[in-house]
Amino acid sequence: MRNGSYLFTSESVSEGHPDKVCDRVSDAIVDTFLSHDPLSRVAVETLSTTNRIVLAGEVRGPSEVNGDLIEQVARHAVKEIGYEQDGFHWEKMAVENYIHEQSADIAQGVDAAGNKDEGAGDQGIMFGYACRETEELMPAPIYLSHNILRSLAEARHSGAEPGLLPDAKSQVTLEYVDGKPTRATSVVVSTQHAGDLDQDQVREIVRPHVVNVLPEGWMCAEEDFYVNPTGRFVIGGPDGDAGLTGRKIIVDTYGGAAPHGGGAFSGKDPTKVDRSAAYAARYLAKNVVAAELAERCTIQLSYAIGVSKPLSVYVDGYGTAKVEEAKLAKALQDLMDLSPRGIREHLSLSRPIYARTAAYGHFGRAPDADGGFSWEKTDLVEPLRNAFGA
């Protein structure tokens, strides 16, 4: 994001949003394969609509992960989200499975063989970003948007707010002064709700979740606080709109505050650089900012299918870098092997850690004890400072 004074907006969607239902199902299938065999290859897409889930894609993994188990996994994912509605119910929905074996042509390009290292699963460009707007080194608008919905979801799951239903969206607009966020100028929250609640009741249910998430004094004016602006949101989720895996890539990353290479994450095992290299780029950018070598940082990585090493590593410190960016790019490559295998091993990605990433952002989350969100660690801070005598 630039310097100066301006307004900037980011949105988030809840785990019950139709697209996020699909991301969750796809990632639950990835986790299932990896829990049986960490070297499984998975690329699974999900479509959701009224009382129906459709699965497609290609996999290579253990035979025990069969069609029956995959169906169970899909139903359990929908159940965990909380869908038990007439138009979308985890137990009553149809599950159509069109997943097939991985293409031999793709496999031979990606697999390690002889002197050939494991290659990238596809060509593409991936971006990572970090900045000092929040303690988690994330852009503030997307971080706040996620946390509003996470707070509402926790209240729904706990039973504290039984009138809330799974589908929801949020949008936060912040005013920046001299390049720094200072307050919210508007907040929009649309949440699915029980039919016996009116708009004013839903507004008061939502209000504390917004006020408690925003920094003190940041709440917008009452006329700029929009809750269910259409007046009613009872029919939601896949019954209200179809969903697809990978349609919320800006929600998944930086809310539009930084570039995106275009590839989605969910449904893909960690040999796919769409996912693993985007995690690596975030990891490196976060460590650069945490090491105080830049106030904000974008890193771009690029790959070719079947080729192990990145074709390019680009670092942009937006004029805030305290060292030469070309030297920084070299130092990062010295500290981390950016081949698909190197990323997977450095960040311990061949684990069943992905279903939890499917909603509320892949970045800005605390690393888990079991290796989840390992790309959020800042264990390169000291090596980076040492490399530049900082």
Side-chain angles (χ1 to χ4, degrees):
M1 300 238 267
R2 60 185 174 87
N3 292 324
S5 299
Y6 53 89
L7 303 181
F8 191 85
T9 304
S10 294
E11 71 157 348
S12 179
V13 298
S14 74
E15 65 204 73
H17 184 280
D19 295 330
K20 282 292 151 197
V21 170
C22 295
D23 286 345
R24 175 70 165 270
V25 170
S26 292
D27 274 338
I29 292 170
V30 171
D31 283 352
T32 301
F33 272 96
L34 293 177
S35 67
H36 284 79
D37 180 359
L39 299 181
S40 294
R41 300 292 169 83
V42 187
V44 171
E45 312 292 342
T46 302
L47 177 148
S48 64
T49 186
T50 302
N51 265 335
R52 188 173 301 272
I53 288 281
V54 181
L55 307 172
E58 58 174 32
V59 298
R60 187 174 66 190
S63 59
E64 57 263 35
V65 185
N66 55 28
D68 289 342
L69 178 55
I70 288 172
E71 179 177 337
Q72 291 175 28
V73 168
R75 292 188 186 281
H76 182 68
V78 174
K79 183 180 181 180
E80 282 193 321
I81 292 169
Y83 274 112
E84 295 185 343
Q85 301 169 13
D86 289 341
F88 195 68
H89 194 294
W90 67 271
E91 191 173 27
K92 299 174 183 177
M93 68 183 187
V95 179
E96 300 179 28
N97 185 351
Y98 300 101
I99 298 170
H100 59 78
E101 287 292 312
Q102 184 184 51
S103 158
D105 289 348
I106 292 177
Q108 74 173 1
V110 175
D111 290 348
N115 294 325
K116 175 183 173 296
D117 197 1
E118 179 182 299
D122 201 353
Q123 71 177 46
I125 56 176
M126 298 84 205
F127 288 93
Y129 180 73
C131 63
R132 293 205 164 275
E133 292 181 16
T134 64
E135 291 183 4
E136 294 74 16
L137 305 185
M138 284 288 289
I142 187 66
Y143 185 74
L144 297 173
S145 295
H146 285 323
N147 283 347
I148 289 168
L149 293 186
R150 193 200 308 271
S151 180
L152 288 168
E154 289 171 355
R156 176 175 63 86
H157 282 295
S158 72
E161 294 293 351
L164 295 177
L165 297 178
D167 195 359
K169 302 177 77 170
S170 65
Q171 185 171 287
V172 174
T173 300
L174 298 184
E175 180 180 33
Y176 283 72
V177 177
D178 296 329
K180 297 181 179 180
T182 60
R183 68 184 182 100
T185 60
S186 67
V187 176
V188 184
V189 178
S190 296
T191 180
Q192 188 185 14
H193 59 88
D196 59 352
L197 294 177
D198 62 30
Q199 187 179 23
D200 289 339
Q201 289 173 309
V202 175
R203 184 183 186 88
E204 295 314 308
I205 290 172
V206 168
R207 184 188 302 277
H209 296 277
V210 175
V211 171
N212 292 338
V213 163
L214 294 178
E216 186 175 357
W218 279 33
M219 184 61 180
C220 63
E222 188 66 16
E223 62 267 26
D224 298 312
F225 177 41
Y226 303 94
V227 176
N228 285 7
T230 64
R232 181 177 170 85
F233 186 5
V234 174
I235 299 172
D239 187 31
D241 192 8
L244 292 169
T245 300
R247 278 207 303 201
K248 288 293 178 284
I249 57 177
I250 301 303
V251 170
D252 286 342
T253 54
Y254 308 102
H260 194 294
F265 304 157
S266 291
K268 299 174 183 177
D269 74 78
T271 69
K272 276 67 170 177
V273 286
D274 274 346
R275 177 166 229 157
S276 57
Y279 291 170
R282 161 64 179 174
Y283 171 66
L284 296 178
K286 184 175 183 180
N287 275 272
V288 167
V289 174
E292 300 181 346
L293 297 179
E295 290 296 305
R296 55 193 179 111
C297 178
T298 287
I299 291 178
Q300 183 204 60
L301 307 175
S302 70
Y303 292 86
I305 188 169
V307 179
S308 62
K309 296 294 183 182
L311 305 184
S312 64
V313 178
Y314 167 79
V315 178
D316 186 355
Y318 300 91
T320 71
K322 297 179 181 178
V323 298
E324 290 183 32
E325 287 148 329
K327 291 182 179 179
L328 187 52
K330 182 179 184 306
L332 293 172
Q333 293 175 82
D334 291 340
L335 291 172
M336 184 178 184
D337 178 356
L338 291 173
S339 69
R341 176 189 53 78
I343 293 171
R344 189 163 43 81
E345 293 178 354
H346 188 106
L347 297 177
S348 301
L349 296 180
S350 297
R351 308 183 189 193
I353 56 174
Y354 298 106
R356 71 193 74 171
T357 70
Y360 315 118
H362 292 245
F363 307 127
R365 310 277 289 271
D368 293 326
D370 66 353
F373 300 103
S374 60
W375 48 93
E376 292 296 315
K377 296 187 296 185
T378 53
D379 53 355
L380 291 185
V381 167
E382 290 307 315
L384 274 170
R385 288 174 174 168
N386 292 338
F388 292 98

